[in-house]
């Protein structure tokens, strides 16, 4: 059964549907024929990918805060979803230094609120909590982090994601234990840690790809803070298809209710400067300069080990680093040149699905 066949007609509750990754996931799921209900704050960027894709018409959209436990519970219970993807979060490292308490409340207490809502919704068979590769205790070595590596977090954002992982483990053991599956509950709870996702439509502050697009669209130089910092870069569709594959497999095998890494191949862990140079080449011009800013700690090295997903899920990345950056730069270039960006986005999704189907034979 293909992913499209599996998700067609499924009722999906998606938190954070107005954000960057949430908008892409909403677009993919609705394109596959799923019934999507989103719950999130209103879009906080201009432009907004959610609005550019017209997702308010394609989904049942509820604007709300996941810290509003009563409203969140009401919306989950009334929808009776089959699968829940939790993406809502405060996702920015540098903002977490300015708003540490708000970051922890959103990323930890908000997650607990969702888990409590699902506990009261018997229809939910699969619950997937999307955290971050920043959840690990990063020692900044060349050794990639496995799912069994210790949780940690230097900055408030990373710490909040480590906390969210511990919370997920707590609820999985205490309330969604697979040994009791089908008795006291019907839900398989997993968590996913992705690499640094890139793709069209991200307009968040203090992220290198949006910074590139904004600068180039205005004819300005791109400013780099940490050009030699390495990251596990991957196109946004890579982890999203990983999450969906995991959801499909959890539906029939709750023993997969564990933590999972979805990152690029080791050869695609590259520097910020590598990304910018390739972005400029695809764009067809432009330049950059290095300008260190305020001394807030940001990790310089971060690698993920994806062997577990490869062996147990038969998942593997479709695009290499060059292809991921090229597709990302082309999205922004087309947007600023006035192309039909919804059609272009759906075209990128269609092309990725075709390549994914060829590489990941288990969905055929």
């Amino acid at each position: 059964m293909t992913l499209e066949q599996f998700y067609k007609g499924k009722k999906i509750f998606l938190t954070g549907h107005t954000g960057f990754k949430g908008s892409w996931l909403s677009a993919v799921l609705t394109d596959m024929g799923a019934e999507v209900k989103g719950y999130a704050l209103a879009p906080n960027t201009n432009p907004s990918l959610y609005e550019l894709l017209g997702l308010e018409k394609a989904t049942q959209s509820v604007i709300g805060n996941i810290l509003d436990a009563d409203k969140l519970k009401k919306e989950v219970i009334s929808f009776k979803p089959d699968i829940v993807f939790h993406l809502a979060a405060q996702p920015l490292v540098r903002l977490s230094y300015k708003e540490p308490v708000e970051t922890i409340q959103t990323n930890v207490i908000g997650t607990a609120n969702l888990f409590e809502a699902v506990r009261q919704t018997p229809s939910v068979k699969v619950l997937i909590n999307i955290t971050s590769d920043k959840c690990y205790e990063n020692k900044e070595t060349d050794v990639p982090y496995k799912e069994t590596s210790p949780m940690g977090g230097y900055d408030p954002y990373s710490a909040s994601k480590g906390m969210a992982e511990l919370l997920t483990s707590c609820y999985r053991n205490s309330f969604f234990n697979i040994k009791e599956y089908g008795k006291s509950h019907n839900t398989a709870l997993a968590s996913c840690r992705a690499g640094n996702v890139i793709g069209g439509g991200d307009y968040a502050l203090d992220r290198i790809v949006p910074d590139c697009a904004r600068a180039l669209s205005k004819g300005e130089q791109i400013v780099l803070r940490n050009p030699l910092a390495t990251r596990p870069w991957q196109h946004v569709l890579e982890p999203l298809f990983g999450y969906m594959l995991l959801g499909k497999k959890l539906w029939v095998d709750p023993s997969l209710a564990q933590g999972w890494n979805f990152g690029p191949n080791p050869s695609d862990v590259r520097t910020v400067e590598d990304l910018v140079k390739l972005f400029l080449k695809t764009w067809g011009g432009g330049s950059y300069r290095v300008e260190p800013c305020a001394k807030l700690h940001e990790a310089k090295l971060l690698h993920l080990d994806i062997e577990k997903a490869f062996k147990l899920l038969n998942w593997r990345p479709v695009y290499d680093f060059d292809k991921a950056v090229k597709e990302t730069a082309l999205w922004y270039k087309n947007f600023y040149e006035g192309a039909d960006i919804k059609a272009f986005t759906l075209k990128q999704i269609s092309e990725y699905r075709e390549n994914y189907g060829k590489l990941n034979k288990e969905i055929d």
Side-chain angles (χ1 to χ4, degrees):
M1 178 184 291
T2 65
L3 287 180
E4 183 174 4
Q5 290 168 334
F6 174 77
Y7 280 99
K8 186 175 182 179
K10 288 287 192 300
K11 299 181 72 174
I12 312 296
F13 193 91
L14 171 60
T15 70
H17 70 297
T18 60
F20 167 53
K21 287 176 71 176
S23 293
W24 274 96
L25 185 54
S26 295
V28 173
L29 287 169
T30 54
D31 192 49
M32 288 183 172
E35 182 182 353
V36 177
K37 182 174 185 177
Y39 185 99
L41 297 174
N44 64 352
T45 64
N46 185 20
S48 154
L49 182 61
Y50 172 77
E51 293 171 345
L52 291 173
L53 300 183
L55 291 169
E56 70 280 358
K57 298 177 182 178
T59 62
Q60 297 182 44
S61 180
V62 177
I63 301 303
N65 194 319
I66 57 171
L67 294 178
D68 187 340
D70 291 338
K71 181 175 182 177
L72 177 62
K73 179 172 68 176
K74 177 183 176 182
E75 296 297 342
V76 174
I77 292 174
S78 65
F79 185 56
K80 298 182 175 63
D82 301 307
I83 298 173
V84 176
F85 290 104
H86 178 43
L87 276 72
Q90 192 298 91
L92 303 175
V93 171
R94 293 178 66 82
L95 180 60
S96 75
Y97 281 106
K98 297 178 182 178
E99 300 179 356
V101 175
E102 293 87 342
T103 298
I104 292 168
Q105 288 175 331
T106 298
N107 296 351
V108 182
I109 303 303
T111 300
N113 288 341
L114 178 66
F115 289 174
E116 283 297 301
V118 171
R119 285 183 66 195
Q120 300 178 52
T121 312
S123 64
V124 179
K125 285 195 67 174
V126 172
L127 169 57
I128 297 180
N129 181 25
I130 312 305
T131 62
S132 170
D133 57 354
K134 310 298 187 300
C135 68
Y136 294 111
E137 182 181 353
N138 190 358
K139 299 183 182 299
E140 301 203 41
T141 69
D142 288 329
V143 178
Y145 296 103
K146 296 178 179 289
E147 287 85 351
T148 54
S149 298
M151 296 293 108
Y154 185 107
D155 56 88
Y157 168 77
S158 300
S160 75
K161 288 302 183 177
M163 293 178 207
E165 283 287 350
L166 294 176
L167 182 69
T168 302
S169 178
C170 164
Y171 267 76
R172 183 164 49 231
N173 291 326
S174 299
F175 306 112
F176 301 120
N177 197 307
I178 60 172
K179 295 179 181 179
E180 298 296 322
Y181 188 86
K183 299 177 182 179
S184 61
H185 71 91
N186 192 45
T187 306
L189 169 59
S191 62
C192 298
R193 305 130 191 192
N196 282 58
V197 297
I198 59 175
D202 185 3
Y203 283 97
L205 296 175
D206 293 327
R207 282 185 181 160
I208 187 57
V209 166
D211 287 349
C212 287
R214 277 188 289 260
L216 293 173
S217 69
K218 299 175 184 177
E220 299 174 352
Q221 273 193 322
I222 300 167
V223 178
L224 306 188
R225 295 192 304 270
N226 299 301
L228 300 182
T230 64
R231 293 290 185 270
W233 309 104
Q234 57 186 158
H235 192 272
V236 63
L237 290 172
E238 302 276 26
L240 297 187
F241 272 69
Y243 307 159
M244 291 189 297
L245 175 62
L246 177 60
K248 171 177 171 276
K249 289 182 177 287
L250 277 169
W251 189 266
V252 295
D253 185 2
S255 70
L256 296 173
Q258 306 166 24
W260 298 88
N261 286 342
F262 293 101
N265 289 312
S267 60
D268 292 316
V269 177
R270 306 279 285 277
T271 68
V272 171
E273 191 169 31
D274 289 336
L275 183 149
V276 172
K277 286 180 177 179
L278 186 53
F279 199 102
L280 290 173
K281 180 179 178 181
T282 306
W283 191 273
S287 61
Y288 67 91
R289 69 179 187 273
V290 177
E291 191 174 288
C293 60
K295 294 292 184 180
L296 296 177
H297 177 270
E298 292 182 278
K300 293 181 175 59
L301 291 171
L302 182 58
H303 301 180
L304 287 178
D305 186 313
I306 59 173
E307 184 177 6
K308 178 180 173 182
F310 180 86
K311 288 186 174 180
L312 300 184
L313 301 180
N314 200 23
W315 174 88
R316 66 212 68 194
V318 176
Y319 290 165
D320 61 14
F321 174 80
D322 287 9
K323 179 68 170 174
V325 176
K326 180 180 178 181
E327 291 298 310
T328 300
L330 286 174
W331 190 99
Y332 286 102
K333 190 170 179 62
N334 274 266
F335 172 71
Y336 285 111
E337 289 178 351
D340 181 340
I341 205 61
K342 179 179 179 180
F344 187 81
T345 302
L346 292 175
K347 179 174 177 288
Q348 285 193 325
I349 291 172
S350 177
E351 291 175 350
Y352 182 88
R353 281 170 61 180
E354 181 179 354
N355 288 313
Y356 179 88
K358 292 176 180 178
L359 182 64
N360 296 275
K361 297 298 184 182
E362 86 287 347
I363 72 165
D364 293 335

